[in-house]
Amino acid sequence: ATVAFGLQTCPGFYFDIELFLTCAAQGFRHAEVPLRSNVTTDVSTVRFFHELRRAAFWVSRIFWLNFKSYYAGESGSLKGEQWYFTADDWGLSPGVNRAILALAKKGIVRRVSAMSDSAYLKEGLQELKLVPGLALGLHFNLTYPFGRSLPFGWTSPASALWGCLRKSFLGRSAFQKSVKDELLQQIQTLRASGVHIQYLDGHHHIHVYPGVATATAEVCAEAGIGEIRIPFDRSSFRFSHLLIGLLARVSRRHFRKASLRYLPFFYPTLNSFKNPSRFRQELCKRRGHEVLVHPADTNDVETLPTPDTYSAQRVIEYTTLLELFAVPSVTNPQKELV
């Protein structure tokens, strides 16, 4: 079923055409089962012209995809090395750390962003550093307290944006110096834990905010960090991320000036994680992208002294990633669809 329905695109009446084309392209054997249909009424519920329009669209689309060999593609088990799955918020809670570590060991997560001032930074960190080929980065934090006073008193993305705009306008130089000092402190703390920092991003994408972006670019160049995240998803125009996308576009010139590298970016929605088939299709269009995830194996984020607004959703992300990248246990390569 994972293979047969993994490449499904039609949500309605013509799904069976796609199903048979997929099975034919994947080399499945086909067995027919007799069916007796008893028709008790001759009144049709089909709206002729509406159905004709849908048929024209979906049949044309399906046969075009078949002509392009879409149904012969990789549909059974995805492989994590095709994407740069980045798990944010290492250190936020034990549940977050356990989920990230499990996904990293399975080769799904390839990059982990750690919060150096977090309460649970060192819980499982030594084991995480032993995962082969794993890149570790700094998750620059200016908005989550962890029981300490925040440098600028920001407690949400909205207050951070307003604070950045106000401070950049009233005292830009002093503000940028304060940001640089805080960022250098977080870099030193993470390095003191034995982490080789290979890239940088920000909690709530704080590193692309006005004034912060310039300071971040300068510190990365000074500290020898050659890669940064630019959270601009070309395929997404969601209202909730529209502002971040605009800030990312504006800040990109500062990062380019500092010769910082960055990957194409994909930020899946919670609805994508709730619909694995849709998520699979989105991923297949974005091979080679950085894919941002926030997994946790239990909802302990909700019980923290300062609960994060994104809590139970993390468990959904974790279970979906495990299911999506699970290798089907097929003992006989000659598969059969009945």
Side-chain angles (χ1 to χ4, degrees), residues 86-92 96-97 100 111-125 128-129 134-141 146 183 186-187 189-191 193-203 229:
T86 304
D88 277 4
D89 299 342
W90 174 274
L92 183 64
V96 168
N97 288 15
I100 293 175
R111 296 150 60 92
V112 176
S113 302
M115 307 172 84
S116 66
D117 54 351
S118 58
Y120 300 98
L121 170 65
K122 296 184 178 180
E123 188 164 316
L125 183 61
L128 183 72
K129 291 190 293 184
L134 188 69
L136 299 177
L138 173 66
H139 199 51
F140 185 32
N141 174 38
F146 287 115
L183 179 52
Q186 293 191 25
I187 290 173
T189 301
L190 195 56
R191 284 176 171 170
S193 299
V195 174
H196 172 59
I197 302 174
Q198 297 175 252
Y199 67 92
L200 184 142
D201 52 48
H203 191 56
R229 173 187 296 163

Side-chain angles (χ1 to χ4, degrees), residues 48-217:
F48 180 76
F49 289 105
H50 176 72
E51 197 60 43
L52 184 63
R53 186 172 65 251
R54 287 204 306 175
F57 173 79
W58 280 110
V59 172
S60 300
R61 174 183 171 84
I62 288 168
F63 278 94
W64 172 252
L65 290 174
N66 186 54
F67 174 75
K68 300 289 288 184
S69 300
Y70 171 80
Y71 301 111
E74 297 181 18
S75 60
S77 59
L78 302 178
K79 297 181 180 179
E81 61 266 21
Q82 296 173 325
W83 299 270
Y84 295 93
F85 277 94
T86 304
D88 277 4
D89 299 342
W90 174 274
L92 183 64
S93 75
V96 168
N97 288 15
R98 288 193 302 267
I100 293 175
L101 181 58
L103 293 171
K105 286 182 175 181
K106 291 179 179 293
I108 301 171
V109 163
R110 299 175 61 188
R111 296 150 60 92
V112 176
S113 302
M115 307 172 84
S116 66
D117 54 351
S118 58
Y120 300 98
L121 170 65
K122 296 184 178 180
E123 188 164 316
L125 183 61
Q126 296 304 318
E127 193 174 357
L128 183 72
K129 291 190 293 184
L130 296 177
V131 177
L134 188 69
L136 299 177
L138 173 66
H139 199 51
F140 185 32
N141 174 38
L142 292 176
T143 55
Y144 194 85
F146 287 115
R148 70 181 182 97
S149 299
L150 292 167
F152 304 104
W154 303 329
T155 57
S156 68
S159 63
L161 178 59
W162 170 246
C164 287
L165 291 171
R166 183 169 56 86
K167 289 180 177 294
S168 295
F169 180 75
L170 296 177
R172 187 178 185 87
S173 298
F175 171 56
Q176 290 185 351
K177 184 180 183 306
S178 299
V179 172
K180 291 175 68 174
D181 291 343
E182 177 63 25
L183 179 52
L184 285 169
Q185 178 61 46
Q186 293 191 25
I187 290 173
Q188 292 169 4
T189 301
L190 195 56
R191 284 176 171 170
S193 299
V195 174
H196 172 59
I197 302 174
Q198 297 175 252
Y199 67 92
L200 184 142
D201 52 48
H203 191 56
H204 295 141
H205 308 294
I206 194 70
H207 65 294
V208 300
Y209 279 40
V212 179
T214 307
T216 300

